[in-house]
Amino acid sequence: MKKDLKKLLSAQAQNILPDERVKENIKSELGCSDGERAYAHGGTESKGKKNILVISVAVLMALTLCLCILLPVFLKGTGTPGGGGKFNQIETTEDFYAYGAASVGSLLSASSETRTLRSYRPSDEEMETVGRYMALVEGLLGDGNFEYSESASSDGEYAYSMTVRYRDLLGREICYEMRYDRLLSDQKGEFAIAGVLLVGQNEYPVEGSYQIESEDGETESELWFRAYTDDAGKSYIEVMQESEEETEDGETEREQKYVYDVYENGRRVERTVVEYESEEGELELKMVVQNRAGRDELRFEQEKKGELKVRGQMNGKKTEFTVQIRLREDGTTYYRYIFEDASDDEEEDED
């Protein structure tokens, strides 16, 4: 990191350090000249003091310029750039399959847990939907990025093995493993996959594919990753990346969001669209869920470690509440919902 900073400072030296023209402008703004300046009380200011003042202001300007140049570098390393969140790190086919394994794995893990539901408001079914997506929300708003490593599989059935890791809002590491073969590779590095995803003690068949279309300066790409939850192949969870790039006047704008579809016996029963938005400089996660209970639109914002602020609409009614993520001594988690009228509800998740 230090070497990179030295190279960056060296490369930008002429832009960071003030030249003679800048120094003269500073002198002019301060009302200084090369001679001594007389005061009304008869005193004088020495040239040495003026030089010190000029140098001090010049250093301050240099530090300001340096900060302007380096701040984007530091922000890029945090993994939370405005508006794009962790989606900005998904640039390659491998990145997407890793994200797909982690996010779909979190949904499969949540759907297999045993819950104790209390008397919820707005409704049990709606709050159960929120609880099912909480692990995904934690992964997308938690610190750090999704990390993965790929190696040769040792099971003899598949060629590759990928281990995906991320941290939840309590800082705990969540890990999933996927074993797969690469199919239909092309010259651009895109490829399809087929294999299995390991979630706890369960194993789910998975497959993924990549499609891209370009026309009139616009590029549309579609990546999808699917995990099957039955032997017949008619029930599954699928995540698709919808990405659009448009280049105009030499500038490229990119929009991307992720769509999760849940199928049961060949019929889609739920669709969830997830995207990042920047509201007054604060990064939020927007989630729109459509299922048999209706349409819910929620915005999640991290208040502090282990706590989220949620606002939006559920089944046409405005809602606002806080979610507290708590950890028991045995390592299992549960969610505590605090509504605006100060009443509490809890959803206990047994790992």
Side-chain angles (χ1 to χ4, degrees), residues 108-109 111-112 195-199 202-206 227-230:
L108 290 168
S109 177
S111 63
S112 65
V196 293
L197 176 64
L198 307 181
V199 180
N202 299 316
E203 187 175 288
Y204 299 91
V206 297
Y228 293 93
T229 55
D230 69 348

Side-chain angles (χ1 to χ4, degrees), residues 182-197:
R182 294 191 178 195
L183 311 170
L184 306 174
S185 297
D186 64 16
Q187 295 179 351
K188 295 181 180 180
E190 288 95 18
F191 56 91
I193 63 169
V196 293
L197 176 64

Side-chain angles (χ1 to χ4, degrees), residues 46-152:
S46 68
K47 183 176 180 180
K49 290 183 179 180
K50 289 185 294 183
N51 287 338
I52 291 175
L53 181 59
V54 171
I55 292 172
S56 298
V57 176
V59 170
L60 180 60
M61 290 185 63
L63 290 174
T64 303
L65 288 170
C66 181
L67 180 62
C68 292
I69 292 172
L70 293 181
L71 187 58
V73 177
F74 293 137
L75 288 178
K76 185 177 180 180
T78 64
T80 56
K86 292 183 179 179
F87 292 168
N88 282 348
Q89 71 160 314
I90 305 173
E91 298 179 347
T92 67
T93 307
E94 289 93 337
D95 292 343
F96 171 76
Y97 290 142
Y99 171 76
S103 62
V104 172
S106 71
L107 297 178
L108 290 168
S109 177
S111 63
S112 65
E113 292 169 353
T114 301
R115 288 188 173 86
T116 302
L117 295 175
R118 303 283 178 88
S119 178
Y120 288 116
R121 221 169 25 263
S123 72
D124 289 356
E125 188 173 11
E126 288 167 337
M127 292 310 297
E128 185 176 2
T129 299
V130 175
R132 189 166 65 252
Y133 285 95
M134 276 303 303
L136 175 60
V137 172
E138 287 194 65
L140 291 173
L141 289 179
D143 293 334
N145 287 329
F146 289 95
E147 298 180 353
Y148 65 93
S149 58
E150 188 180 50
S151 62

